[in-house]
Amino acid sequence: MERIHPNRQVMAFIFILVLVQVWSEPTIRYPIMEETESGSFVAHLAKDLGLRSGDLAARSARVMSDDYKQRLLLDPETGDLLLREKLDREELCASVDPCVLHFQVSLEKPMQYFQGELLIQDINDHSPEFPDREMLLKIRENSQPGTLLPLNLAQDLDVGSNGLQEYTVNPNSHFHVLTRNNSEGKKYPELVQDTALDREEQAELSLTLTALDGGSPPRSGTAMVRILILDINDNAPEFVKTPYEVQVLESSPPDSAVLIVLAQDADAGNFGRVSYGLFQASDEVRQTFSINEITGEIRLKKGLDFEKIKSYHVKIEATDGGGLSGKGAVLIEVVDVNDNAPELTISSLTSSVPENAPETVISIFRVGDRDSGENGKVICSIPETLPFILKSTFKNFYTLVTESPLDRESRAEYNITITISDMGTPRLTTQHTITVQVSDVNDNAPAFTQSSYTLSVHENNSPALHIGTISATDSDSGSNAHITYSLLPTHDSHLPITSLVSINAENGQLFAPRTLDYEALQTFEFHVGATDQGSPALSSQALVRVLVLDANDNAPFVLYPLQNASAPFTELLPRAAEPGYLVTKVVAVDRDSGQNAWLSFQLLKASEPGLFSVWAHNGEVRTTRLLSERDAPKHRLLLLVKDNGDPPRSASVTLQVLVVDGFSQPYLPLPEVARDPVHDNDDLLTLYLVIALASVSSLFLLSVLLFVGLRLCRRAQSASLAGCSAPERHFPGHLVDVSGAGTLSQSYQYEVCLTGDSGTGEFRFLNPMIPELLVQDSGRELKENLHGRESFVFS
């Protein structure tokens, strides 16, 4: 047995309560005069329903008429019920009195219905009218006083006291008129003969028949009655059957035969010849049926509509040649056929539904069929594949609701086709399509196309260079899918990421706001965020790694031998040195990396060609042969240090070699050079510089100790950055350890620190392992190098 869901049980119980409440509500009735202007006030509906004015708007009040036409308007703000159009009682109800239009009032939250009636009151806006302006009446001359002569009645579209009330005739000596009621309750005139007639004295009489209604002031209509006095005809025609009964399909086309009536007259000759006609027929009967005067065949003049008129009572008359007539009746029953397709009237429609919403009412509508019986029964359905269901609420009212929450990202629009079919043969079907848009809710965070990005940029780039683009997508729509990009804060307080990269918030383009230096920074990482503009906003993040690519922007720097502008560095060479003797080793560094830092050495020029050679890969300067007595005691060498970049960069080294007989003397006397007074001033300046250098070194040592203490406490910038600070650009220091396996035969440990403003550098050699002779000679070299661009401190 299928298990009934508890929610459906609860909903069914609620619907039963709603139906009980609707049926228990009394019917409200409002009278209104016909021809009242549109927009006129009918009633204060909110007050009559026991509601406040604002309740109607809050509960989506709707007013619907039973005749599928919206004749009333409801102002939900004031609660007033207004006329939507001018009403004509005669057009709406014809002769039916009272004229009542039924309507319903529906309320939501909770669902509630009220029955209402609009009583349209008649005004005297129509005058009585006779179907013929002239009536011909033939009377036998032997008719006796008191003879009654029924006449055709006048038609007055008004009802009640405004309808036709009486007939009068102009004063004469032969006839007066009486007002009678027929079997249908309609008033008709009947002439009463007052005196005997004499055809030889007067063969024709003319009377004016007046029809008066009961309006104030009364309206009237007139017709001329011509009375022909005939010879004696003592037999009137009689119908062989009365009343006739016949059924006619409403689908019968115009000019279709209905039936043939027959009347017989016992007289002979002209008095026995019968002609047929309609008697006391209303406008509707005359417009719908016709009768052949000779054959008595009744035919349709126009199509029938069962939904408007279900039967006709037609009175007929047979008149002989002598003027005598007999009366009959035909009862015509209209048979319904399934000629009306079901109809759907929407009273409430919601075209947009937010996604993820619980059960939501999409539409409230009513279905119906103008046919009757099985032809008027309807069934309603929607496709089963859609997440919507139909619920029958009241009479022929249905509610279309969502069956489950909708997901806009799966489907943003639904076209719901409501199919209504009747039970007739053949079945007629009506379809109505409702389009429902699923509005977006910010339930999807932006998603990056990659979880991490790796970008590269060459150093020495131009400021504001575009280095790459990150991208994220959002499955939502509108502002919920509008993404803005941002840089997320980093935990590294030493590296403000905004100084290295900027991002375009609209398209995710990344830019380098300043020139990057590979020697100062090889790579850095940061996180970027993508945030939508929903409420609340959703976001995601991705990792971006930027690689700074090296460029050959640094020329080789010679560390040893020391170079200055005043004099070349001097090396000592024993005269007894063997071939391959190591004179010195050129030590150089290049701040670039990779092949841009691969150095090669070359001997460009020598005062004694063939005596010295330099190894290309390690910079060792060696003798190539034994020295002779003929060789000069002093040699000058010019060496070139070149990197492997594109284009290559280079630096030159000037070296002076003194040939000595042995190392008992510290050095050979150099040639005397005439002193210049300017050099004397330079010596004094050098002394001041030496004193200043010693002071700066002491302050530097104190600063280093202070900096180390601050770093341990606050984890601030590195010691290398503190020792090499510059007003514009900062380059971190590099500790280089050069062992004998490199370009020096001895071990050196030194620290290189370059400033970014002047291009000059300061080098500190820590505990160098150098020959004693080099130490003895360093005093003189220090003094000479103070005039150069680099300064050297030995410890």
Side-chain angles (χ1 to χ4, degrees), residues 206-252:
S206 295
L207 303 177
T208 300
L209 180 64
T210 303
L212 296 171
D213 63 18
S216 179
R219 290 174 175 263
S220 63
T222 61
M224 181 66 67
V225 180
R226 292 179 56 210
I227 301 175
L228 298 179
I229 302 174
L230 305 176
D231 286 336
I232 297 175
N233 180 18
D234 55 351
N235 289 291
E238 294 182 358
F239 285 96
V240 297
K241 180 181 179 182
T242 186
Y244 288 90
E245 295 182 359
V246 65
Q247 291 183 337
V248 182
L249 295 177
E250 67 169 327
S251 58
S252 300

Side-chain angles (χ1 to χ4, degrees), residues 280-534:
Q280 292 185 353
S282 64
D283 290 341
E284 182 64 30
V285 171
R286 291 181 180 276
Q287 294 172 6
T288 307
F289 302 98
S290 65
I291 187 169
N292 190 297
E293 293 183 356
I294 299 175
T295 64
E297 183 181 42
I298 298 177
R299 286 183 172 271
L300 288 176
K301 294 177 67 175
K302 67 175 184 178
L304 303 177
D305 190 350
F306 174 84
E307 288 69 40
K308 290 184 177 180
I309 301 177
K310 296 177 174 55
S311 64
Y312 294 88
H313 189 270
V314 181
K315 292 183 178 182
I316 53 178
E317 180 182 41
T319 305
D320 61 17
L324 297 180
S325 61
K327 307 297 186 291
V330 179
L331 181 60
I332 302 174
E333 181 180 354
V334 182
V335 179
D336 182 41
V337 296
N338 193 23
D339 59 342
N340 290 284
E343 298 179 354
L344 181 146
T345 304
I346 294 179
S347 61
S348 174
L349 177 62
T350 301
S351 59
S352 179
V353 178
E355 63 175 331
N356 304 328
E359 181 177 291
T360 304
V361 176
I362 303 299
S363 176
I364 300 175
F365 58 91
R366 182 178 65 180
V367 297
D369 196 309
R370 297 176 185 268
D371 296 320
S372 63
E374 292 296 316
N375 297 332
K377 295 180 180 180
V378 296
I379 56 176
C380 187
S381 64
I382 60 173
E384 296 181 355
T385 57
L386 299 179
F388 301 90
I389 57 174
L390 282 176
K391 295 182 178 180
S392 178
T393 54
F394 171 71
K395 285 188 176 180
N396 290 334
F397 283 88
Y398 287 86
T399 302
L400 177 65
V401 299
T402 57
E403 185 176 19
S404 58
L406 306 179
D407 183 12
R408 191 203 65 82
E409 287 71 39
S410 299
R411 187 169 179 179
E413 180 181 280
Y414 291 90
N415 291 317
I416 308 170
T417 300
I418 302 174
T419 303
I420 311 146
S421 301
D422 59 25
M423 305 299 291
T425 303
R427 289 192 174 188
L428 298 181
T429 299
T430 298
Q431 290 186 334
H432 184 84
T433 300
I434 295 176
T435 299
V436 177
Q437 303 287 340
V438 183
S439 60
D440 186 48
V441 173
N442 193 25
D443 56 348
N444 291 280
F448 282 95
T449 56
Q450 300 174 215
S451 59
S452 63
Y453 297 82
T454 301
L455 308 176
S456 60
V457 58
H458 288 275
E459 65 171 330
N460 303 323
N461 59 287
S462 58
L465 175 69
H466 176 236
I467 62 176
T469 301
I470 54 132
S471 177
T473 58
D474 196 311
S475 301
D476 295 320
S477 64
S479 61
N480 294 332
H482 188 274
I483 299 175
T484 57
Y485 300 89
S486 62
L487 299 177
L488 300 182
T490 60
H491 299 292
D492 188 1
S493 60
H494 304 156
L495 187 64
I497 193 62
T498 54
S499 66
L500 298 177
V501 68
S502 64
I503 189 170
N504 187 314
E506 295 297 325
N507 55 28
Q509 292 183 346
L510 294 171
F511 300 89
R514 71 172 193 178
T515 301
L516 299 177
D517 187 2
Y518 173 84
E519 289 71 36
L521 183 65
Q522 287 79 36
T523 181
F524 59 93
E525 296 179 351
F526 57 92
H527 285 85
V528 292
T531 305
D532 60 29
Q533 294 186 1

